[in-house]
Amino acid sequence: MEKTKHALAALLAAVALMLSLTGCSFNDLMLYLYGGDDFTTSDTPDYASWDGDNGVTVVYDKNKWQQPTMAQDDTLSVTGGNRLGYTVVLLQVTDQYTDFLAQSGQELEETTGTVKYDFSFTVPDAAVQAVRYDCGSYQTIFAQVDYDCGQTIYMTAAAKTSDYQPIIDLMQNVWPTGATPETAAQVS
């Protein structure tokens, strides 16, 4: 038993030395073990622009978000993070909703125990209505963004984190294709 304790201590010391020599932190190791291949980021933004098949254009920081995909024919999906702090944002352009925020909130309240909070943020060249729900271990944000050009984008975001700033930053760089605001982040 004593030899096992010494061997384990030596192994942990070797791992700690290896991490310090490679420049990795304990947090990087945990994100690698529990979060897949998105465990490192750069402090310098690396922006890219992507046009969805549904008429939505998004400028995203490749350090924070994976390349967008079309989750369904009418829904652009942007995901980021890892299992410790996962976020998914769905962007949809449709005229099927009579009241997107009320309908979405009602569906969520019927299936889970939630707490509703007022939520607000601004998007260039648009009017925003938004609401946030605390769903226990994750948060959900619904937003209806009515752009000055006359088009509406519906956003649903689910986050396993309490940091909403990446979602807001992303939404401030989303617009209907062909109606690009001049305030969008610079794309490299």
Side-chain angles (χ1 to χ4, degrees), residues 17-26 28:
L17 177 62
M18 177 191 70
L19 288 174
S20 65
L21 291 175
T22 62
C24 290
S25 68
F26 177 73
D28 288 337

Side-chain angles (χ1 to χ4, degrees), residues 105-118:
Q106 180 182 3
E107 291 170 10
L108 187 64
E109 289 172 340
E110 288 174 357
T111 57
T112 62
T114 62
V115 179
K116 179 181 176 180
Y117 296 96
D118 290 330

Side-chain angles (χ1 to χ4, degrees), residues 1-13:
M1 184 70 165
E2 194 66 32
K3 287 183 180 185
T4 303
K5 287 182 184 177
H6 290 295
L8 183 57
L11 176 64
L12 291 175

